[in-house]
Amino acid sequence: MQIIICHEPENWADDAADEVSRQLARNPASRLSFATGATTLPLFDELVRRHEEGRIGFSQATCFQLDEYRGLGAEHPASCAHTLINRFYNRINIRKENCHFLDGLNAAPVEFCREYESLIQEGGGIDLQVLGIGLNGHIGFNQPGTPFDSPTHSAKVEDFTWQKNTRFFKNPEDNPRDALTMGVATILSAKKIILMARGGEKKDILCKALFGPVTEDVPASVLQKHPDVLVILDHSLSKLCSS
Ligand code: F6R
């Protein structure tokens, strides 16, 4: 595991964007997956900027959605698909047919998740997975207690995460209690993983995830078992695990 501290807020997304650029230079038909949330928005903007400058192209790339609320379609502004489409996919030259979504409106989630997992694994897996981390250590929508061998599945949104996410909904009652998510095993099967985190409030959970015991109680701790993880932190996290 390699850890990079980014000291200038304006360059926050550069190292992750460099990795995406390198991945696409090595293999233009790479299979990518990106978390949404506040952490990765600057990365989307930086990748769009590089695309507009002709420095990066996605015409052969494929993207797989990491997670989605159940009950929300892509037109809902709080859905992860809405963010991916409007902040990223519509601004780069990725082909629509190469963007795979977790359909939050699907009425048969078990079958849907099984097929989604097959689509990922039978096509050769994910080449580069970009993650954020929740304050309880969740990755994707994999909450504490999620088995490490879980494939793409329908998950309960734990109370703590649900409370945090109400800020994205005008009416808290619209905030779903269930989600679809690539599983911990799906994430771990990616060839390379980037974990991005910023803001001092994530210090304690990062300390546990990166240096504590590997336990299903802290889903992100599983990343310690992966051979190729790049962790990108901002200056407020430069002194992890110290008071
Ligand atoms: C969202 C996702 C989540 C977020 C996490 C951190 O697609 O995968 O696990 O990465 O909740 O969210 P932010 O970046 O808003 O702190």
Side-chain angles (χ1 to χ4, degrees), residues 109-152:
V110 174
E111 293 74 17
F112 177 81
C113 288
R114 197 180 303 130
E115 282 165 23
Y116 193 82
E117 183 72 29
S118 299
L119 191 65
I120 292 174
Q121 303 305 346
E122 285 165 15
I126 303 288
D127 293 307
L128 178 60
Q129 172 71 61
V130 179
L131 298 173
I133 182 171
L135 287 172
N136 61 359
H138 70 248
I139 45 177
F141 257 117
N142 294 287
Q143 302 297 318
T146 307
F148 280 168
D149 63 358
S150 56
T152 302

Side-chain angles (χ1 to χ4, degrees), residues 70-88:
R70 277 190 66 196
L72 301 192
E75 73 292 341
H76 194 291
S79 71
C80 303
H82 191 273
T83 302
L84 286 170
I85 293 168
N86 293 288
R87 292 294 298 258
F88 192 31

Side-chain angles (χ1 to χ4, degrees), residues 34-41 65-68 80 129-136 138-143 161 165 167-168 181 196 198 201-202:
F34 296 88
T36 51
T39 308
T40 49
L41 289 178
Q65 186 176 6
L66 172 62
D67 55 357
E68 184 57 278
C80 303
Q129 172 71 61
V130 179
L131 298 173
I133 182 171
L135 287 172
N136 61 359
H138 70 248
I139 45 177
F141 257 117
N142 294 287
Q143 302 297 318
T161 303
N165 289 349
R167 67 191 194 277
F168 299 122
T181 184
M196 302 177 75
R198 63 176 175 172
E201 64 172 1
K202 293 200 171 159

